[in-house]
Amino acid sequence: EAGVAQSPRYKIIEKRQSVAFWCNPISGHATLYWYQQILGQGPKLLIQFQNNGVVDDSQLPKDRFSAERLKGVDSTLKIQPAKLEDSAVYLCASSLNSNEKLFFGSGTQLSVL
Amino acid sequence: GENVEQHPSTLSVQEGDSAVIKCTYSDSASNYFPWYKQELGKRPQLIIDIRSNVGEKKDQRIAVTLNKTAKHFSLHITETQPEDSAVYFCAASGGSYIPTFGRGTSLIVHP
């Protein structure tokens, strides 16, 4: 079974620039999550999709972050403009449905200089 | 929303000892409690999970216990080995279907 695919693996940008991350979940998984993990902390949910609808985006900084899940499969997360405090690992995860175990991608390590 | 507290933040044990990590949650509607292990530079991976209709679950050297009344659950690792060294995260979800993670416990097993 193929896992959750994420790209890019690493990204270095300067503040005020924009960046986009891509995620391809496990086939058939209805629920897709984007988490932000700052070094030394637990993953913090940014947005959760159920198929192509948003379940929760209460912790997504909507003035600079946006996300979409086209056709209920792939998803992209965008930051525009980036700030220094956005430096983190961005993890995509998927699950068969809500309240099921999460399968994580390898993450994108973002450094904002 | 759900709030998950995890303790301790760091746990150091000798090989062969047992390790216990504890988490508390705030939302009484939560009914799914997974534990994830994250090795350095790698993605979190599920090691064990429990649902609220069960009080305890065991898988070889790993066990999880759940006390719904007190709203806490614990991870128990027996006969620890150096390869158990990692960061362990608890999580809770249910009422809102949104998985909320604890801050993590760095487990160090000394040979």
Side-chain angles (χ1 to χ4, degrees), chain A residues 3-4 9 33 35 37 40-45 48 55-56 91 98-107, chain B residues 31-32 34 36 38 41-46 49 51 89 93-104:
Chain A
V4 176
R9 187 72 177 89
Y33 315 78
Y35 281 91
Q37 187 174 26
Q41 297 183 20
K44 169 189 162 187
L45 184 71
Q48 178 176 337
V55 173
D56 185 84
L91 291 164
S98 302
N99 281 358
E100 298 288 339
K101 69 178 182 180
L102 271 60
F103 292 83
F104 285 90
S106 54
Chain B
N31 57 17
Y32 178 58
Y36 293 87
Q38 187 174 30
K42 296 189 176 180
R43 71 192 76 184
Q45 290 192 301
L46 182 86
D49 56 7
R51 296 191 183 271
F89 295 98
S93 66
S96 60
Y97 302 104
I98 299 166
T100 301
F101 282 76
R103 292 180 64 89

Side-chain angles (χ1 to χ4, degrees), chain B residues 5-111:
Chain B
E5 299 285 339
Q6 182 172 349
H7 299 280
S9 57
T10 305
L11 181 58
S12 185
V13 300
Q14 289 295 127
E15 183 177 358
D17 287 352
S18 295
V20 180
I21 303 169
K22 299 181 179 181
C23 288
T24 60
Y25 60 98
S26 61
D27 186 355
S28 56
S30 288
N31 57 17
Y32 178 58
F33 307 93
W35 286 88
Y36 293 87
K37 176 183 180 182
Q38 187 174 30
E39 297 177 12
L40 190 63
K42 296 189 176 180
R43 71 192 76 184
Q45 290 192 301
L46 182 86
I47 54 171
I48 195 166
D49 56 7
I50 192 168
R51 296 191 183 271
S52 59
N53 57 345
V54 175
E56 183 175 358
K57 184 176 180 180
K58 190 173 181 180
D59 182 5
Q60 299 183 339
R61 298 186 295 109
I62 296 172
V64 58
T65 58
L66 171 65
N67 183 327
K68 288 189 294 182
T69 303
K71 289 191 283 188
H72 69 70
F73 55 113
S74 300
L75 178 71
H76 304 254
I77 306 175
T78 58
E79 300 171 23
T80 53
Q81 301 167 3
E83 51 264 40
D84 293 330
S85 296
V87 178
Y88 291 81
F89 295 98
C90 63
S93 66
S96 60
Y97 302 104
I98 299 166
T100 301
F101 282 76
R103 292 180 64 89
T105 296
S106 178
L107 174 64
I108 303 165
V109 181
H110 299 279

Side-chain angles (χ1 to χ4, degrees), chain A residues 52-109:
Chain A
N52 59 353
V54 175
V55 173
D56 185 84
D57 63 356
S58 58
Q59 298 192 87
L60 188 74
K62 297 180 187 63
D63 57 335
R64 298 184 301 106
F65 286 64
S66 64
E68 60 181 3
R69 189 180 184 192
L70 300 173
K71 300 179 181 177
V73 182
D74 290 9
S75 178
T76 56
L77 175 70
K78 296 178 182 177
I79 307 175
Q80 183 180 11
K83 292 186 175 181
L84 296 176
E85 57 261 36
D86 297 334
S87 294
V89 175
Y90 290 84
L91 291 164
C92 178
S94 69
S95 61
L96 198 58
N97 218 322
S98 302
N99 281 358
E100 298 288 339
K101 69 178 182 180
L102 271 60
F103 292 83
F104 285 90
S106 54
T108 296
Q109 186 168 330

